[in-house]
Amino acid sequence: MSFTTASKIAWRELRAAPAKFLFVVLAVAVGVAALSGVKGFGYAFRGMLLRNAKQLIAADLQAQTWGNISPEQISRMQQLGSQYGEMTRVTETISMAGSGKLRVPQMVSVKAIDPIVYPYYGTLKINPDKPLCDLLRNDSSVVVTPELELRMKVSPGDTIRLGGKEFLVAGTILSEPDRLASGFGPGMRVLMSRAGLDRTGLIQFGSRAAQRFLFKLRPGINLDALKSAIKHSFHRVFISDYREGSPVVGRAVDSTTTFLSLVSLIALIVGSLGVAMAMYSHLQQRMDTIAVMKAIGARANQVMQIYLLQTLWLGIAGGVIGVGVGAAVQRSFPWLIHRIFALLPIVPWDWSFTLQGMSLGILATLLFTLPPLLSIRNVRPSLVFRRNMSDASAESRKHWQDKLPGWIGAALIFGGFYCIAVWLSRSWLMGSYFIGGLAASLIALGIVAAMLLFFMRFLVRTWNRRLPPSFRHGFANIYRPGNQARSVLVALGVGVMFTLTTYLLQRTVLRQVVSEGPGREGNLFLLDVRDASSISRLIESQPGVTSKVQLVGYTVSRMLSKNGVPVSQLRLSRERRNDLQAVRITTAKSLPDGINLANGAWWPPNCAQPQLAVSDEAQRDYHLHLGDRVEFQVAGRAFTAPLVATFHREQRAPVRYDLVVPQKALEGLPITYYGAVHVKPADIPRVEEAVFENFPTVTVMNLADVLNRIQEAVDQVALVVRFLAGFAILAGVIILSSSVAGTRYRRIREVAILKTLGATKSRISGIFSIEFSILGAIAGLVGAILANVFTRIVADRFIDTNVDFDWPSLVVAMVGTALLANLAGWLASAHILDQRPLEVLRAE
């Protein structure tokens, strides 16, 4: 048989029943759309980062560090700037800002720059359209974001207060080229000159701030040499250049794309399962044609060629539609996470992934249609013509060789999708976890489906006459020949499982954030506190304060030696030695909450002698033992403390303790405090105003606002995952519709017989509705159970929290999936009820 002849036969069969194959095309298109949209977006985003690399960091090279930097380090960076081209420094921190039109202060992000040279690349768009150096011509003017103007009720020409000083709002920021490179999240922002930042007094020893050194290089400069020089100047620094784009953002996008691609792969697998079901149903209906072709001399491989061509054409058609829909999916991502992507340039559609997306769709289609295609080898013309298909099946079971092609097909499916998962995740381990988890879910769903079929058959046989006729026929329809209830349950169950898992994990993360905070809604966090006793007296005298102010002090120090041996000579890795150049020491009067003493003895409450207690992690990392004498330097003052205790830090400790010394031992040194206080929600604005008026450099964070921001971030990520998981549910719905359409002939004949026997249209509708409802409810039930199990596993291993079984989710999933299954089933079989019995019976 020539290729032309096989093509003609394949095309005639496709043309004869286009509606039947519509579901095949849609099933492939759903999976390809999800996968090509996600992967295409990742590629396009990566390309955008590289094309706009200099604009996104506003320089040729950026060096970023956090914490305190010394004058010597600043001088060294200025020297490197002169040596290699130009350099400017950008400092970012957070603080409280107030305005005359709004009594309650607001937390803002402050960014200090040199307006004469910033930015080196890209455009800072400001209204009015004037040079930045003119708008920030002195140390008392700022430009702000529209969100700040809206929430603080100010406009250009008004004033705001930062650090207790008045600043004139000179303009509105429309866009920042290096917004993604900033160390602080989106929100209300203030841009000022470096002289203005010095005027506020916000940056002191121990203040939290991100320091970014931007370099504009002369042509021909050796970037690697400059990077090496910068690394020798800072013990901990993050460097990126125009060749990499924004590595942090790039890695985040890569990780997110990998995760979302694997979620999308589920939709492709479910869709491919639908293709296999449709092709199996199609081959069962074409048994006569296959038998005739074999009887007149066609070989099995020639017949397989015909249906292989059909599969390829259907896969290509689904791939083309899927790529088109995938373009819309990619366009939807910036809208789904608009708070982040509104800051970016337009991300165009990347056609480089079109061919890959179509190839994956066609490959998945071929893999899943291998078992039904290979089953053509077992078709015996004589048995087909005798219509003794049950005997044919029994005969087939007698020869294990006849089952070998099916086993080979299953092995190829597993191996093929394992390789796809590894390719998408770029990790053999992650690919193994993904395929293993998915296989476990499919096996569990398959077992439940087999149990359901057995139970339905047992129920009908045992309670035959006791069941109402509609229920009896509806139950029996589930295990009728060719119903494919197993595949429908698996497809819908997988979709429900992933969608509900996303929701449960989202709720678990938010609950964990709330439970690990120092209090419930209305609590205030205090940052950058210098005078602990004064601010405690002020806050505790305010109305609505229901607890004592809990403050923890810390200072940044440098470890000089251990037992007289300099740090440079200790047997530690280079990374650990670098860590000891700027290590945080926490102060405590007594044993803090959340830590358990492991060895040694804790100091008395009024101890003023330097002593040291370390966590078991610090003890292991820095090779410390009880009795060691460790020398530190803080703000030019050195002191030696013996190691008297080691402790274990609980997972939910309110403060991360590693190195602890008595509070009185550091008196006279620059100590920074942070902590929290419980305040009635209605009195929070009054407390914030009092703190801002008396301590303008102290940052006050309302827990409610913090949780709202976390809620927004988690909601947007969950929205994307649910959006993609919805493709898996859609694929399940298509499979259900395909299953109903595949049994259309049997259903038409059944309806005709029932009508002839006197069944009404409403009675027949009830039978079908019971069938669809049972399939949907069981799929929802099993999917919800698996979702709760997976949520429990993820929460225990990665979030370290306990999750209770969510019983209401089972009811919601069962009812929702049952309604969805009814909708899909009736869309595929609505016209069956309108067939006249006489027309059907005459056709027999």
Side-chain angles (χ1 to χ4, degrees):
M1 184 184 297
S2 66
F3 177 80
T4 303
T5 303
S7 300
K8 287 180 179 179
I9 298 174
W11 174 247
R12 285 172 182 170
E13 287 197 1
L14 287 177
R15 189 178 58 186
K20 179 197 310 183
F21 296 106
L22 175 63
F23 294 107
V24 178
V25 174
L26 290 178
V28 177
V30 165
V32 173
L35 194 56
S36 63
V38 170
K39 204 69 177 177
F41 178 80
Y43 283 163
F45 192 95
R46 260 298 188 183
M48 184 276 296
L49 288 180
L50 293 176
R51 287 191 301 271
N52 300 278
K54 293 185 178 182
Q55 289 78 9
L56 291 175
I57 61 175
D60 290 314
L61 182 143
Q62 169 188 272
Q64 187 171 12
T65 186
W66 292 263
N68 297 287
I69 55 176
S70 65
E72 292 78 13
Q73 290 173 320
I74 296 176
S75 176
R76 174 57 177 162
M77 297 300 280
Q78 291 173 342
Q79 179 184 353
L80 291 175
S82 301
Q83 179 180 350
Y84 288 92
E86 301 179 42
M87 189 279 295
T88 186
R89 180 159 61 111
V90 176
T91 302
E92 294 179 278
T93 187
I94 57 175
S95 183
M96 304 300 292
S99 71
K101 298 182 181 180
L102 187 68
R103 294 181 57 189
V104 179
Q106 301 289 319
M107 186 172 64
V108 300
S109 173
V110 179
K111 179 177 180 179
I113 49 90
D114 182 351
I116 298 177
V117 298
Y118 172 87
Y120 286 134
Y121 299 100
T123 303
L124 179 68
K125 296 181 180 179
I126 301 176
N127 184 25
D129 187 11
K130 294 182 179 180
L132 184 59
C133 57
D134 292 342
L135 296 174
L136 303 181
R137 59 184 178 275
N138 51 47
D139 61 359
S140 59
S141 59
V142 296
V143 291
V144 301
T145 57
E147 183 180 1
L148 185 144
E149 293 180 342
L150 179 64
R151 294 187 59 182
M152 298 191 67
K153 300 179 181 179
V154 296
S155 58
D158 295 332
T159 60
I160 61 173
R161 282 181 296 154
L162 281 165
K165 303 297 190 297
E166 297 284 341
F167 288 86
L168 174 68
V169 177
T172 305
I173 302 173
L174 302 180
S175 67
E176 295 176 73
D178 57 340
R179 184 66 191 88
L180 283 179
S182 299
F184 296 89
M188 296 185 291
R189 293 172 59 76
V190 177
L191 189 65
M192 61 172 54
S193 65
R194 299 207 60 82
L197 180 64
D198 295 338
R199 180 168 171 259
T200 63
L202 294 176
I203 304 300
Q204 302 179 28
F205 185 85
S207 297
R208 301 165 327 284
Q211 305 286 350
R212 296 168 51 217
F213 297 91
L214 308 182
F215 289 83
K216 184 178 181 181
L217 308 178
R218 292 192 297 270
I221 290 297
N222 187 337
L223 273 175
D224 294 329
L226 175 57
K227 286 185 175 182
S228 178
I230 294 174
K231 289 179 180 178
H232 281 88
S233 302
F234 293 90
H235 73 280
R236 183 177 295 173
V237 63
F238 178 80
I239 302 175
S240 57
D241 62 59
Y242 67 89
R243 299 173 302 182
E244 306 168 299
S246 180
V248 172
V249 178
R251 282 195 294 269
V253 171
D254 288 345
S255 301
T256 304
T257 301
T258 297
F259 171 71
L260 296 179
S261 297
L262 292 176
V263 174
S264 303
L265 180 59
I266 295 168
L268 182 60
I269 292 174
V270 174
S272 302
L273 180 62
V275 172
M277 290 172 52
M279 291 303 298
Y280 176 80
S281 176
H282 174 58
L283 291 175
Q284 289 297 312
Q285 295 178 22
R286 305 303 297 175
M287 282 295 181
D288 286 353
T289 302
I290 295 173
V292 168
M293 286 190 290
K294 283 194 170 184
I296 61 177
R299 293 187 297 272
N301 60 341
Q302 294 174 327
V303 179
M304 289 173 60
Q305 181 183 4
I306 296 172
Y307 294 100
L308 181 63
L309 284 173
Q310 288 184 356
T311 302
L312 280 174
W313 292 342
L314 293 172
I316 292 173
V320 171
I321 296 175
V323 168
V325 177
V329 171
Q330 177 183 321
R331 296 289 185 183
S332 68
F333 274 93
W335 175 79
L336 291 173
I337 38 182
H338 58 89
R339 288 184 65 86
I340 297 175
F341 287 98
L343 305 169
L344 298 176
I346 295 176
V347 180
W349 167 251
D350 190 337
W351 289 99
S352 64
F353 193 73
T354 301
L355 182 60
Q356 298 179 45
M358 288 191 60
S359 300
L360 286 179
I362 295 172
L363 175 61
T365 304
L366 290 176
L367 287 173
F368 266 97
T369 51
L370 276 177
L373 286 177
L374 292 174
S375 67
I376 293 176
R377 300 167 58 92
N378 299 329
V379 176
R380 294 174 173 83
S382 60
L383 297 177
V384 172
F385 290 144
R386 276 182 272 178
R387 288 292 184 270
N388 196 359
M389 296 304 297
S390 58
D391 291 343
S393 300
E395 185 69 20
S396 177
R397 285 195 295 270
K398 293 180 182 179
H399 302 285
W400 65 269
Q401 294 92 340
D402 294 334
K403 294 295 183 182
L404 188 60
W407 296 342
I408 294 175
L412 289 174
I413 291 173
F414 180 83
F417 277 99
Y418 175 67
C419 293
I420 294 174
V422 170
W423 175 68
L424 290 175
S425 63
R426 300 188 185 95
S427 168
W428 290 99
L429 182 62
M430 186 176 296
S432 301
Y433 276 129
F434 173 80
I435 290 296
L438 187 60
S441 303
L442 295 178
I443 291 172
L445 286 165
I447 292 174
V448 171
M451 293 173 60
L452 174 66
L453 296 181
F454 175 81
F455 178 73
M456 290 292 103
R457 188 178 287 109
F458 172 80
L459 188 64
V460 171
R461 289 178 179 176
T462 306
W463 297 80
N464 188 11
R465 296 185 180 276
R466 303 178 190 178
L467 293 172
S470 298
F471 282 86
R472 184 168 64 249
H473 284 283
F475 292 162
N477 277 357
I478 293 177
Y479 59 85
R480 65 143 62 93
N483 196 355
Q484 302 171 343
R486 285 189 178 91
S487 300
V488 171
L489 281 172
V490 170
L492 282 176
V494 168
V496 172
M497 177 186 69
F498 276 92
T499 305
L500 187 57
T501 299
T502 304
Y503 167 75
L504 293 176
L505 282 175
Q506 173 194 11
R507 196 178 61 178
T508 300
V509 169
L510 292 174
R511 186 171 62 245
Q512 180 78 353
V513 171
V514 175
S515 64
E516 291 195 351
R520 301 294 180 182
E521 183 177 354
N523 287 344
L524 295 183
F525 293 94
L526 306 172
L527 305 173
D528 288 340
V529 176
R530 306 293 173 177
D531 191 342
S533 58
S534 297
I535 198 170
S536 297
R537 287 194 301 269
L538 172 68
I539 293 177
E540 291 170 6
S541 66
Q542 300 298 313
V545 178
T546 60
S547 71
K548 295 287 185 181
V549 178
Q550 303 293 327
L551 294 176
V552 177
Y554 72 92
T555 187
V556 179
S557 67
R558 178 186 177 191
M559 181 174 166
L560 300 178
S561 65
K562 182 183 77 171
N563 297 327
V565 180
V567 169
S568 59
Q569 299 179 18
L570 295 177
R571 293 183 176 180
L572 299 174
S573 65
R574 180 179 179 182
E575 180 182 0
R576 297 303 181 196
R577 284 199 297 268
N578 288 338
D579 290 342
L580 293 175
Q581 299 305 304
V583 63
R584 173 176 288 194
I585 294 180
T586 308
T587 65
K589 291 182 179 180
S590 57
L591 187 65
D593 295 334
I595 67 174
N596 300 315
L597 190 64
N599 295 294
W602 206 266
W603 49 80
N606 295 322
C607 178
Q609 297 297 322
Q611 299 185 46
L612 178 65
V614 300
S615 66
D616 47 9
E617 295 179 8
Q619 180 187 20
R620 180 179 61 254
D621 292 342
Y622 304 123
H623 301 171
L624 298 172
H625 303 87
L626 289 179
D628 286 344
R629 297 185 62 82
V630 185
E631 184 181 11
F632 295 96
Q633 183 183 57
V634 179
R637 171 182 159 186
F639 67 92
T640 302
L643 180 58
V644 298
T646 61
F647 57 84
H648 172 69
R649 186 178 58 248
E650 295 179 358
Q651 291 291 339
R652 295 189 179 185
V655 177
R656 180 178 176 86
Y657 293 99
D658 280 311
L659 283 75
V660 188
V661 299
Q663 185 173 347
K664 288 190 175 182
L666 297 184
E667 286 185 350
L669 293 176
I671 305 296
T672 303
Y673 296 87
Y674 65 96
V677 62
H678 293 263
V679 183
K680 292 181 180 179
D683 295 310
I684 286 178
R686 189 180 305 173
V687 176
E688 288 179 320
E689 182 181 1
V691 173
F692 182 67
E693 292 294 338
N694 292 274
F695 300 94
T697 61
V698 172
T699 301
V700 181
M701 300 174 64
N702 187 347
L703 178 59
D705 292 338
V706 174
L707 290 180
N708 285 337
R709 293 189 181 187
I710 296 174
Q711 176 86 55
E712 289 179 0
V714 175
D715 283 350
Q716 290 191 22
V717 174
L719 178 62
V720 174
V721 180
R722 284 199 297 268
F723 175 71
L724 294 174
F727 277 84
I729 290 184
L730 179 59
V733 170
I734 292 174
I735 288 177
L736 177 60
S737 303
S738 176
S739 173
V740 174
T743 59
R744 180 180 178 84
Y745 173 75
R746 290 189 178 92
R747 289 180 186 274
I748 291 176
R749 188 170 181 272
E750 178 185 353
V751 169
I753 294 174
L754 290 173
K755 282 185 175 182
T756 303
L757 295 176
T760 62
K761 194 172 183 179
S762 60
R763 174 64 61 84
I764 299 173
S765 299
I767 293 173
F768 286 172
S769 296
I770 289 171
E771 176 190 353
F772 300 147
S773 297
I774 291 176
L775 288 174
I778 297 299
L781 174 64
V782 179
I785 292 174
L786 290 175
N788 277 275
V789 170
F790 282 134
T791 301
R792 180 67 177 269
I793 294 173
V794 173
D796 287 343
R797 296 197 59 182
F798 300 103
I799 308 178
D800 192 29
T801 186
N802 294 323
V803 178
D804 296 328
F805 198 94
D806 192 287
W807 295 104
S809 66
L810 268 65
V811 178
V812 174
M814 289 177 63
V815 174
T817 314
L819 293 175
L820 198 62
N822 266 284
L823 177 63
W826 281 113
L827 285 176
S829 58
H831 297 296
I832 291 178
L833 297 180
D834 297 328
Q835 294 282 337
R836 295 181 179 180
L838 189 59
E839 295 177 358
V840 177
L841 296 178
R842 279 178 175 174
E844 291 284 320

